[in-house]
Amino acid sequence: MYTSIANHGLTVKDKLIENYYILNQIVQSIDTGIAVFYEKQLVHVNNEIRRITGRTYKYLENNLVEIISKSDYFKIKRKFISVLKNYADKDEFYFNIIMPNGDTKTLRCKFTVVRIVEKKGVFAMVHETSKQCDKNQQNRDDLCSNVAHELRSPLNAIIGFSNILNDDSLSAEDRTHYLKYIRSSCVSLLHLLDDFSDYNKLQHNKIQIEEISFDINNMFDELEERSRIMCADLHKEDLKIVCVKPLRQPSSIVYGDAQRIMQVLINLVSNAIKFTATGSVTFSYDISQGNLVLSVKDTGIGIPNDMITKIFGRFTQVGTVKSNSGLGLGLAITKNLVELMHGTIDVKSEEGVGSEFVICLPQRSSGGISSGDKSSAALEFDFSGKKILIAEDARINYILLEKILSKTGATIIWAKDGEECVTLFNANPDVGLILMDMQMPVKDGYTAAREILKIDSSVPIVAQTAFSMDDERERILNTGCTDYIAKPIDRIELLRKIASVIR
Ligand code: ADP
């Protein structure tokens, strides 16, 4: 360091002054308010603090206390004292200040302790919360317009082609074609909803990893078949799909959450197909150093260097590629799922050459459930001889629940509203569990649950709800329900809940 100073003919003092000016320029130009306290004294503020507060440094130095709203002042003082007395190293809080025109402004402050020689200082970073709200609003607006755009095309196709199908003069061949369009539009809509639902579940830690042992070759066969269908849907029949399966049984038996591993592979492969016009998409696996290594490689448009880390963030897309339909959630979900499985995901990419995504999932030595596929996990739940009353007004939701429960051997009764639920319970007192939708016509789930519990207080009731209100959980438990499950329903979570309370 000294050499380099000497080489430039600078003294240490010159260099310090130069560094100070550089640092000061940076601090003054950033759009975060910065205030530095040394001991208890305000010693530095940047331009942004002056802008936010509408006051000069001189004013703030002498009157800081006066601009902080009275109700917040003691809270801040307590926090500063606890920092200076070593009880905490950093903190974050919101507080109000009074602007020169008498208006109130809410600020968010993050502060950390800094040690300057032997004394202590506090480094505070301040933002206007309205700025944050604007940003959230902007994110929400972007999301809404993205969703509207993504919904519009498949819905248009469904409505448009359904209308054409009414035409009696249509040839059988055209009819088959149009039905195919309708089907693929419905599949896109379902993917969109699945992405949303998964993203939401991941955000609220509601996804559970279900590990079993399975043959990865079977999974790759299915992946290959689905890739060809994706290519056909996008009219990319010339794209070469290469599926590499280097191991044979028993070496191809791996351990993990088969459903989630398939989901992340489909995300990567569908991106690879979407962003590759000519050449190939290759997927392969290997087992190396106790890890299952999965690779999806394409010869597509590639990803610019500065976007490589950003693409794993939510709602991120590169540029405005025409073929780029999607919400920008796929990779965010993929990364979250891989991390839930204690794995890692990496990407190598070169613009115009192609990309390779590599996932590494730790393998633990065999054990656990040694069955063929995920559906067998459901077979573990045996409710034969039990009666389950499902109260659900939406037919499609009932069908879904019935499908989930059909393999368990339970007898299922369907009530289409709260009133029918009470009537059916009276007629079937041997019901072992009620699955109650809380928002139903005629009589809602809350009223029905209360009335049923008056008839038989020991019947377990599992509420199913979309949790649109913050206080809904409390309301459900206050009604006397045994448990609750959030919609969209997770199959395994539902079966587990039922198994733990059914009588
Ligand atoms: P979506 O595909 O819905 O836009 P993703 O989260 O799956 O969202 O991907 C985010 C972005 O990353 C894509 O929009 C695209 O710009 C870029 N991307 C992902 N995979 C590839 C790939 N194989 N080749 C080129 N770009 C890709």
Side-chain angles (χ1 to χ4, degrees):
M1 167 142 184
Y2 282 102
T3 333
S4 94
I5 291 170
N7 281 348
H8 290 87
L10 294 173
T11 65
V12 173
K13 193 175 162 199
D14 286 339
K15 191 71 191 164
L16 281 174
I17 290 170
E18 191 192 48
N19 277 343
Y20 170 78
Y21 276 110
I22 294 170
L23 273 176
N24 193 37
Q25 294 250 336
I26 296 170
V27 169
Q28 291 303 348
S29 61
I30 60 177
D31 63 357
T32 295
I34 288 181
V36 181
F37 296 84
Y38 187 51
E39 292 280 89
K40 287 175 189 153
Q41 204 54 42
L42 178 67
V43 291
H44 187 85
V45 295
N46 70 347
N47 288 335
E48 179 69 354
I49 287 267
R50 294 187 193 105
R51 191 195 65 74
I52 292 174
T53 59
R55 282 20 184 253
T56 61
Y57 166 59
K58 209 75 233 126
Y59 182 91
L60 291 171
E61 190 185 26
N62 298 315
N63 308 288
L64 186 61
V65 174
E66 277 161 42
I67 74 161
I68 296 172
S69 96
K70 294 261 171 320
S71 55
D72 286 329
Y73 172 67
F74 289 103
K75 174 178 82 181
I76 297 176
K77 195 171 169 190
R78 268 199 311 276
K79 285 187 183 286
F80 263 67
I81 289 172
S82 79
V83 163
L84 289 172
K85 286 197 167 164
N86 257 347
Y87 299 135
D89 246 350
K90 54 183 171 198
D91 212 329
E92 184 171 0
F93 54 87
Y94 289 81
F95 68 107
N96 287 327
I97 58 165
I98 319 292
M99 295 300 286
N101 64 2
D103 285 349
T104 305
K105 198 184 242 186
T106 306
L107 305 182
R108 183 168 59 103
C109 175
K110 259 183 167 177
F111 65 84
T112 47
V113 177
V114 282
R115 287 179 178 80
I116 308 167
V117 195
E118 274 167 30
K119 303 216 164 137
K120 271 189 185 171
V122 169
F123 179 81
M125 285 175 288
V126 181
H127 283 278
E128 287 173 71
T129 52
S130 56
K131 249 191 175 176
Q132 190 59 31
C133 292
D134 286 351
K135 220 174 154 202
N136 290 343
Q137 185 60 41
Q138 181 68 38
N139 277 342
R140 271 195 293 272
D141 290 351
D142 286 354
L143 174 63
C144 285
S145 66
N146 258 356
V147 172
H149 176 262
E150 290 304 312
L151 286 177
R152 196 167 293 130
S153 341
L155 282 177
N156 268 342
I158 293 169
I159 294 167
F161 287 117
S162 313
N163 283 337
I164 298 175
L165 281 177
N166 276 330
D167 183 350
D168 290 338
S169 63
L170 218 59
S171 72
E173 197 185 335
D174 282 348
R175 199 174 288 271
T176 316
H177 256 95
Y178 297 153
L179 279 170
K180 211 173 125 193
Y181 291 145
I182 294 178
R183 194 191 152 275
S184 77
S185 302
C186 290
V187 171
S188 316
L189 283 179
L190 266 181
H191 282 165
L192 200 75
L193 291 178
D194 279 350
D195 271 5
F196 245 134
S197 141
D198 275 347
Y199 190 75
N200 214 17
K201 281 193 202 160
L202 282 162
Q203 292 265 309
H204 297 97
N205 293 328
K206 285 191 129 302
I207 285 194
Q208 280 169 3
I209 295 301
E210 302 284 331
E211 295 190 318
I212 53 169
S213 36
F214 63 95
D215 188 340
I216 186 93
N217 285 341
N218 293 342
M219 180 179 282
F220 267 55
D221 287 342
E222 192 184 331
L223 188 62
E224 186 176 6
E225 205 177 304
R226 290 175 73 163
S227 308
R228 296 199 195 285
I229 297 173
M230 285 184 232
C231 286
D233 281 348
L234 293 172
H235 306 288
K236 290 187 174 182
E237 283 90 351
D238 290 341
L239 205 62
K240 205 166 150 206
I241 299 292
V242 186
C243 171
V244 183
K245 298 179 292 182
L247 304 173
R248 292 281 154 262
Q249 268 215 41
S251 312
S252 58
I253 301 293
V254 298
Y255 193 74
D257 188 325
Q259 193 191 327
R260 296 297 176 189
I261 294 176
M262 185 65 169
Q263 183 181 355
V264 301
L265 281 170
I266 291 211
N267 275 347
L268 297 181
V269 169
S270 60
N271 273 344
I273 295 175
K274 190 159 75 171
F275 296 107
T276 307
T278 53
S280 60
V281 169
T282 307
F283 37 88
S284 59
Y285 74 84
D286 199 2
I287 295 178
S288 150
Q289 296 171 352
N291 287 309
L292 169 64
V293 184
L294 304 160
S295 149
V296 176
K297 197 172 175 179
D298 64 62
T299 56
I301 58 172
I303 304 160
N305 256 340
D306 59 330
M307 290 302 290
I308 291 262
T309 49
K310 295 190 188 132
I311 53 170
F312 292 103
R314 60 194 182 138
F315 312 127
T316 312
Q317 296 180 321
V318 178
T320 49
V321 183
K322 256 222 171 126
S323 58
N324 197 357
S325 61
L327 277 180
L329 277 180
L331 286 179
I333 293 171
T334 300
K335 184 165 189 285
N336 273 292
L337 285 176
V338 168
E339 282 167 0
L340 259 186
M341 295 188 274
H342 306 290
T344 56
I345 178 162
D346 287 304
V347 54
K348 273 187 283 178
S349 187
E350 196 177 330
E351 271 187 280
V353 176
S355 316
E356 180 178 13
F357 287 80
V358 177
I359 290 176
C360 231
L361 296 172
Q363 286 291 290
R364 59 170 146 114
S365 46
S366 57
I369 309 164
S370 56
S371 37
D373 66 303
K374 170 107 189 184
S375 60
S376 56
L379 287 176
E380 274 182 77
F381 297 94
D382 182 6
F383 305 144
S384 32
K386 312 264 182 198
K387 221 181 232 185
I388 297 177
L389 172 54
I390 299 178
E392 172 63 73
D393 62 314
R395 187 182 166 73
I396 189 89
N397 291 346
Y398 168 71
I399 292 173
L400 184 72
L401 291 170
E402 203 217 85
K403 197 160 168 35
I404 294 175
L405 293 169
S406 61
K407 288 199 184 115
T408 65
T411 306
I412 293 162
I413 315 172
W414 180 20
K416 297 178 197 71
D417 59 54
E419 194 155 300
E420 202 180 342
C421 183
V422 181
T423 312
L424 283 174
F425 183 72
N426 268 319
N428 296 275
D430 56 338
V431 157
L433 177 132
I434 302 172
L435 209 49
M436 181 82 82
D437 179 19
M438 300 316 269
Q439 282 82 34
M440 282 187 295
V442 189
K443 187 174 278 174
D444 67 19
Y446 297 96
T447 319
R450 254 184 248 112
E451 288 180 15
I452 287 171
L453 288 168
K454 269 192 204 145
I455 303 165
D456 178 351
S457 61
S458 68
V459 63
I461 303 181
V462 175
Q464 20 153 357
T465 174
F467 287 122
S468 45
M469 314 285 271
D470 282 348
D471 61 353
E472 224 171 317
R473 276 179 218 307
E474 218 178 314
R475 227 182 123 201
I476 287 169
L477 295 177
N478 283 342
T479 309
C481 292
T482 326
D483 205 343
Y484 49 73
I485 182 156
K487 285 181 175 178
I489 304 271
D490 181 279
R491 192 167 62 105
I492 299 292
E493 189 186 355
L494 175 71
L495 290 168
R496 284 221 174 110
K497 289 208 165 177
I498 294 178
S500 65
V501 293
I502 197 165
R503 63 178 185 179

